Amino acid sequence: MAKKLLQKSTGNILIFSVLILLVSAPLFYFTTNYLYLEETDETLNLHKKEFIENDLPGFRIQDIAVWNKYNRNVSILPANGIKKDMVFVKVYFDKLENEDEPYRELNAPIVIEGKPFTFSARINLIEKRDMVFSTGLLFLLIIVLMLTGILIITKTATKRLWKPFYVTLEQIRGFEIDKNQKPEFPSTDIDEFNNLNASLERLIDKNTNIYNTQREFIENAAHELQTPLALFQSRIDMLLQLDLSKEQSVLAASLNNDVARMNRLNKNLLLLSKIENDNFPDKQEILLNDYIKKHLDFFTEQAKSKHLSIITEFTENLKITANPALLEVLINNLFLNAIRHNVKNGKIVITIAGNTLAFVNSGPETALANDKLFNRFSKSDPSSQGNGLGLAIVKKITELNHWNISYSFYNSLHGFTITF
């Protein structure tokens, strides 16, 4: 699934930050614990040194009981056989706290009046645990605050940094080559964005010039073809009035059909050109239900050759604002499309519901290619007598009026729905 650029970059920073936190938290704990134990051992050795230097020279065996009574964490014990200093952790029951607590303890061999004894000094580690926990909590809080600040600052800075890119992207999304509205890209202090905008401007200018040249050529060609086609049609009409043989009549009729198709193609190209140039500004309010009913008889006659049934389902009246001529072209093209691409004994269902108009018809058992459906000269059936411009004209009319047209295929029925 595609992600937005800001989400991608912020996500990477977040992952990196979490990894740092996961690595630094245990590292901090073990480092702090090690340093505290080092400090504790130094303190224990200091107690031993002070005792040996200050107290041991005048210390007597009978002083041991008094010493142990008044020194809670430094005591003289009977010899336990150790030959050198030993430091270890041991749990003792603390009468004051009424619970077992861990201690760091130093045992060292000493001699009092020629007899061996063990010097024992200990330090409660519960304070160390509390200190490490408090320090760790503070460290975690600082890290979280720091990472949160980094994320917020990074996201804000990145959003500001990429703003020109998103402005350019929005301009490109709204650009339509046939609207003659050239996008205006923002000027930035970032070379990459300026190069991108400059490249897009060159590309748009080049393609706009190509499009305008092609459109002008089609307009001129369609206009220039009108007179020759009219003369050709009149010659064929005169030819059909002569006394022709059967073969000549068939040939003349075939020529007449071909010229009629060329005339329809020419008129459709001119119509497309007029729609693109917005030559239909006059609009009025039209009741769509009545408009369809008025043309229903004509298309019912057209559908008789395939024995098609036309069903209307108007649940409510739908009023729209449109140019009458363009609306007539749109309805006619949808009707003809539903008839031309239908099957014998099929049906056409015309539905008005809410703000939608739908033409649903039987036809081929497979869905049409939706990506090419509204392209010019696109045909689902190459043998069709149409010129492939009907749905392209319908699409242009809907775009001009800011309507939406969609295609659907369900239960072997093809549907075109216009949302007004």
Side-chain angles (χ1 to χ4, degrees):
M1 183 178 179
K3 294 182 179 180
K4 289 188 175 181
L5 182 64
L6 287 178
Q7 291 178 338
K8 193 76 174 178
S9 58
T10 306
N12 292 334
I13 295 173
L14 182 61
I15 292 172
F16 179 72
S17 302
V18 171
L19 289 175
I20 290 179
L21 181 61
L22 292 175
V23 172
S24 60
L27 183 63
F28 173 81
Y29 171 78
F30 288 115
T31 303
T32 306
N33 186 65
Y34 172 78
L35 293 175
Y36 186 84
L37 289 178
E38 283 286 315
E39 182 68 23
T40 302
D41 292 347
E42 287 183 8
T43 304
L44 291 173
N45 284 313
L46 181 62
H47 289 335
K48 184 191 78 168
K49 182 179 179 182
E50 289 178 346
F51 175 80
I52 292 173
E53 291 178 355
N54 301 325
D55 299 314
L56 185 60
F59 206 84
R60 296 176 299 173
I61 295 176
Q62 59 265 32
D63 296 332
I64 294 176
V66 177
W67 175 274
N68 290 344
K69 181 179 180 179
Y70 292 103
N71 290 276
R72 182 167 179 261
N73 291 325
V74 178
S75 57
I76 308 300
L77 304 176
N80 55 10
I82 62 173
K83 301 299 182 182
K84 60 179 180 178
D85 293 357
M86 294 181 61
V87 180
F88 52 89
V89 176
K90 188 174 181 180
V91 177
Y92 289 95
F93 181 78
D94 193 320
K95 294 180 180 180
L96 295 177
E97 298 293 338
N98 196 29
E99 63 178 2
D100 290 333
E101 292 184 349
Y103 284 80
R104 186 74 167 174
E105 185 172 340
L106 167 66
N107 283 356
I110 58 174
V111 177
I112 301 175
E113 294 181 344
K115 294 184 178 181
F117 287 89
T118 299
F119 172 84
S120 176
R122 65 184 185 179
I123 295 177
N124 196 329
L125 294 179
I126 197 72
E127 297 176 0
K128 181 269 298 186
R129 187 175 64 186
D130 293 340
M131 187 200 74
V132 171
F133 177 78
S134 300
T135 308
L137 189 63
L138 180 62
F139 171 80
L140 181 63
L141 180 62
I142 293 173
I143 288 294
V144 170
L145 289 175
M146 183 177 69
L147 293 180
T148 303
I150 290 174
L151 284 174
I152 293 174
I153 293 172
T154 302
K155 188 172 183 179
T156 304
T158 305
K159 191 173 183 180
R160 189 183 300 113
L161 179 68
W162 284 94
K163 185 178 180 181
F165 172 78
Y166 287 107
V167 172
T168 297
L169 187 61
E170 197 64 30
Q171 292 280 341
I172 293 297
R173 282 177 179 168
F175 173 68
E176 295 181 19
I177 197 169
D178 58 338
K179 299 300 182 183
N180 293 323
Q181 293 179 348
K182 186 177 177 181
E184 296 181 3
F185 300 120
S187 177
T188 72
D189 56 355
I190 301 174
D191 287 339
E192 287 80 2
F193 289 158
N194 287 331
N195 292 334
L196 173 65
N197 292 341
S199 299
L200 287 172
E201 285 177 349
R202 288 195 299 270
L203 183 63
I204 289 171
D205 289 340
K206 182 178 180 179
N207 283 275
T208 301
N209 290 334
I210 293 173
Y211 174 79
N212 289 332
T213 301
Q214 290 178 342
R215 187 171 69 176
E216 185 178 346
F217 170 77
I218 292 173
E219 291 176 8
N220 293 338
H223 280 291
E224 291 298 325
L225 283 172
Q226 278 185 305
T227 301
L229 286 173
L231 291 174
F232 197 15
Q233 184 67 58
S234 67
R235 298 291 191 274
I236 292 175
D237 291 340
M238 291 175 59
L239 186 62
L240 288 172
Q241 294 175 8
L242 299 176
D243 187 14
L244 303 175
S245 65
K246 184 178 180 179
E247 291 183 358
Q248 291 172 335
S249 297
V250 171
L251 181 60
S254 177
L255 287 173
N256 188 53
N257 289 336
D258 291 339
V259 172
R261 287 182 62 187
M262 290 182 67
N263 272 319
R264 288 196 300 271
L265 174 61
N266 194 59
K267 288 178 180 178
N268 284 337
L269 288 173
L270 285 173
L271 177 60
L272 271 173
S273 178
K274 290 179 180 179
I275 293 173
E276 289 172 345
N277 292 327
D278 198 11
N279 290 342
F280 299 91
D282 298 330
K283 295 183 180 181
Q284 63 187 56
E285 193 175 74
I286 300 171
L287 183 60
L288 195 57
N289 309 55
D290 293 343
Y291 206 81
I292 293 175
K293 290 176 182 177
K294 185 174 70 174
H295 294 81
L296 197 58
D297 291 339
F298 172 76
F299 288 105
T300 301
E301 288 295 323
Q302 297 287 319
K304 281 184 178 179
S305 61
K306 288 188 174 182
H307 306 287
L308 304 177
S309 60
I310 299 179
I311 305 167
T312 56
E313 297 177 351
F314 299 161
T315 59
E316 54 191 288
N317 291 329
L318 177 58
K319 287 185 178 181
I320 62 172
T321 301
N323 179 273
L326 288 184
L327 182 61
E328 182 175 354
V329 171
L330 182 139
I331 299 298
N332 289 352
N333 283 0
L334 288 174
F335 255 123
L336 289 174
N337 183 74
I339 294 171
R340 183 175 292 122
H341 299 287
N342 218 313
V343 294
K344 286 188 176 182
N345 301 314
K347 65 178 180 179
I348 300 173
V349 181
I350 307 168
T351 305
I352 292 179
N355 64 333
T356 62
L357 166 67
F359 277 75
V360 178
N361 62 275
S362 51
E365 293 296 323
T366 57
L368 304 178
N370 207 0
D371 55 334
K372 299 179 180 179
L373 197 56
F374 298 101
N375 292 349
R376 297 184 184 187
F377 304 109
S378 175
K379 290 185 180 183
S380 58
D381 181 8
S383 63
S384 171
Q385 293 296 312
N387 50 43
L389 291 176
L391 290 178
I393 292 174
V394 169
K395 180 69 172 178
K396 276 294 178 183
I397 294 173
T398 58
E399 288 177 351
L400 182 66
N401 290 278
H402 305 291
W403 303 333
N404 181 64
I405 184 169
S406 59
Y407 165 75
S408 62
F409 180 73
Y410 182 72
N411 284 342
S412 299
L413 295 176
H414 302 265
F416 289 89
T417 303
I418 298 178
T419 304
F420 298 97

